[in-house]
Amino acid sequence: MSFQLEELLRGATQLDDVVQQLLGIEDEARRVQDDLEPYLYESLDTGRTAADAIAGSRRDVAQVRQELVEVSASVRASHRDYEVVEAGNGFRQQLRLDELRISGTGWFPGRDMTHNVLRGVVVPPWTSTRDTLHGILESPLLEALQPRDVRVEKVEQAVERVEPSMAESLRRLERLHARNDGEIEVIQFEQDGSSSWMVLIPGTQPNSPNTNPLDIHGIGEAVAYDSEEVIPAVGQALREAGAEAGDHVVAVGHSQGGIHAMNLSRNQAFLSEFDLKYVLTAGAPVGGITPEPGITSLHLEHVQDWVPGIDGHINADTKDRVTVSLTDEVRTPEGQDAGLGPGHDQENYAAGAELVAASHDESLVASTAVFAGVVGASGVARVTRFRMERAPMPVSRLALKPDSPPSVQATKKGAGTR
């Protein structure tokens, strides 16, 4: 807590600023020297003495400037070395059998194993999951999987008592996910006469119509297209719920919903309207997303959950960004569907959030204080549910039967081409 790697870069930047100031002093000294040149040839020594003093001062300033340049270069080299070591510590070099955890209903890879496999095999070090997936989805064969317009419709609004803790927010998120119809929830909190807001975005809902933007295809939009259609829908939901420009917002998301939530933290259109203060994710692969400065985020990841590792990136560790690795052994209860594995279960993450709230770790105390500062204490809040709906899937020309005549639009588009 007393020192973070980004402070090295901040210190180097401050040194660079001082170097620029010293360059300005050197230029000014040179101009004074030029102004004193006519006095060098007078019988009195005062002009020559003044010119010599200015020249000596200029040399001293240049020496200090050069020393600061070297210090700045050393600081940047130190930062680079630390990053290399941290990256090496973050990724295990060998896959061990104990990274596969038995759930009681089958084997599931752990988070670290997924990180390593994808980083070393599927996603080369010189590229990113986003670029790789974007290139795949841009294929004409997969045009139906590309983002489509998303609209929102208000489903229900009610005033109820809300416990705005991280754990209860994740439990609300699970209930929202169980509805399986692309709904998000917007909660309005009142503190000292001003409103703050929480947006809950559930994870992937695979067994739903393809008009649900949170279906399997939604993962592609979240990862490869930075949630370009979902984010405007979230903004519209906030406005329709009553949020105004500049209001404080907290975003909470699980799995795919966590990616959408983190994408809010770097979307300039959204951030120009709302003051996103905090993002809480659970079981979400968000290591490749860098939020704008000043936005606090907390990421819950279970070592038995392979999903946070599918982007092949380790979350950055900064004062504003903390990752909590849950290490308790979890199993799928007898008779229940294992789904994506017990490590991905939201109730396990809610239990982890309770541990976070009770922790005395300085980084967690600082992070949870930001969350609580936005949402306040428990009390009556206005809850609005919105259903997001994606535009219907277009009929691809590749899907036309051989004996089907092309449409007029397709004929015009193809006219004159070979």
Side-chain angles (χ1 to χ4, degrees):
M1 284 296 292
S2 61
F3 190 83
Q4 291 282 343
L5 285 183
E6 69 265 25
E7 294 184 39
L8 288 174
L9 289 183
R10 185 159 55 247
T13 300
Q14 292 172 345
L15 288 174
D16 293 342
D17 291 341
V18 175
V19 167
Q20 291 302 316
Q21 294 176 33
L22 293 178
L23 283 171
I25 294 173
E26 289 182 66
D27 289 340
E28 182 64 24
R30 186 181 296 107
R31 285 193 292 270
V32 173
Q33 275 186 276
D34 293 340
D35 292 341
L36 290 174
E37 186 174 1
Y39 300 97
L40 295 177
Y41 310 104
E42 292 186 350
S43 57
L44 297 176
D45 292 336
T46 52
R48 187 179 301 105
T49 302
D52 290 344
I54 293 296
S57 298
R58 183 177 149 204
R59 285 193 300 271
D60 292 341
V61 171
Q63 182 178 351
V64 173
R65 171 180 56 81
Q66 183 57 37
E67 291 174 353
L68 289 182
V69 168
E70 294 172 0
V71 171
S72 177
S74 297
V75 170
R76 294 182 190 279
S78 178
H79 176 271
R80 184 172 58 252
D81 292 344
Y82 273 117
E83 279 198 321
V84 170
V85 173
E86 288 292 325
N89 291 336
F91 288 107
R92 300 178 187 176
Q93 298 304 311
Q94 295 182 353
L95 303 180
R96 304 202 313 264
L97 184 61
D98 62 4
E99 287 181 322
L100 287 172
R101 308 292 185 116
I102 190 166
S103 67
T105 55
W107 290 91
F108 293 93
R111 177 198 60 183
D112 299 328
M113 181 177 184
T114 313
H115 269 307
N116 286 327
V117 170
L118 286 175
R119 174 48 58 187
V121 180
V122 180
V123 184
W126 58 85
T127 185
S128 68
T129 309
R130 179 190 184 280
D131 295 336
T132 302
L133 186 55
H134 191 278
I136 294 173
L137 294 179
E138 286 298 304
S139 166
L141 293 173
L142 298 175
E143 61 180 348
L145 304 185
Q146 296 169 19
R148 305 194 298 276
D149 290 343
V150 175
R151 66 180 185 88
V152 294
E153 177 185 2
K154 184 185 294 186
V155 175
E156 183 181 16
Q157 187 174 79
V159 174
E160 57 183 88
R161 190 167 189 83
V162 174
E163 173 63 42
S165 67
M166 292 183 178
E168 289 307 311
S169 298
L170 291 175
R171 292 186 174 105
R172 291 188 72 95
L173 197 57
E174 172 59 21
R175 294 193 291 271
L176 198 61
H177 177 267
R179 301 180 71 88
N180 200 44
D181 58 1
E183 290 186 11
I184 61 175
E185 196 166 82
V186 177
I187 306 175
Q188 179 185 9
F189 302 99
E190 291 286 346
Q191 293 188 76
D192 301 324
S194 61
S195 294
S196 59
W197 305 82
M198 178 185 290
V199 178
L200 302 178
I201 310 175
T204 304
Q205 298 170 337
N207 301 316
S208 57
N210 61 34
T211 53
N212 180 356
L214 299 178
D215 63 3
I216 293 292
H217 301 166
I219 301 173
E221 183 192 335
V223 175
Y225 295 91
D226 303 335
S227 309
E228 66 178 34
E229 298 296 344
V230 168
I231 287 178
V234 170
Q236 182 183 343
L238 277 165
R239 287 188 291 272
E240 291 191 15
E244 298 180 350
D247 282 355
H248 292 179
V249 176
V250 166
V252 182
H254 173 253
S255 196
Q256 180 191 151
I259 310 175
H260 291 305
M262 274 301 286
N263 279 334
L264 292 172
S265 72
R266 63 178 176 181
N267 185 279
Q268 295 303 316
F270 184 87
L271 296 177
S272 66
E273 183 173 4
F274 301 107
D275 188 2
L276 182 66
K277 305 297 290 186
Y278 199 97
V279 179
L280 170 64
T281 70
V286 293
I289 302 174
T290 301
E292 288 295 302
I295 299 174
T296 302
S297 60
L298 178 69
H299 312 294
L300 301 177
E301 298 182 354
H302 201 290
V303 294
Q304 290 178 234
D305 186 1
W306 59 273
V307 176
I310 62 174
D311 63 346
H313 290 280
I314 296 290
N315 298 337
D317 182 16
T318 70
K319 283 188 174 181
D320 292 331
R321 189 171 188 179
V322 181
T323 300
V324 176
S325 295
L326 306 176
T327 59
D328 58 312
E329 188 77 21
V330 292
R331 291 172 174 266
T332 301
E334 191 70 29
Q336 290 189 15
D337 182 7
L340 297 179
H344 199 59
D345 184 75
Q346 284 200 76
E347 179 52 39
N348 290 331
Y349 278 120
E354 291 176 339
L355 296 176
V356 167
S359 173
H360 296 291
D361 179 89
E362 291 183 1
S363 60
L364 295 182
V365 170
S367 182
T368 54
V370 176
F371 181 92
V374 178
V375 300
S378 61
V380 174
R382 187 171 64 176
V383 180
T384 310
R385 284 192 291 109
F386 293 88
R387 179 180 295 111
M388 297 191 298
E389 185 173 2
R390 182 197 287 140
M393 186 178 295
V395 178
S396 171
R397 286 172 298 179
L398 297 175
L400 293 173
K401 296 181 180 179
D403 57 351
S404 300
S407 65
V408 175
Q409 182 179 0
T411 303
K412 288 181 179 179
K413 185 176 182 180
T417 61
R418 296 182 183 276

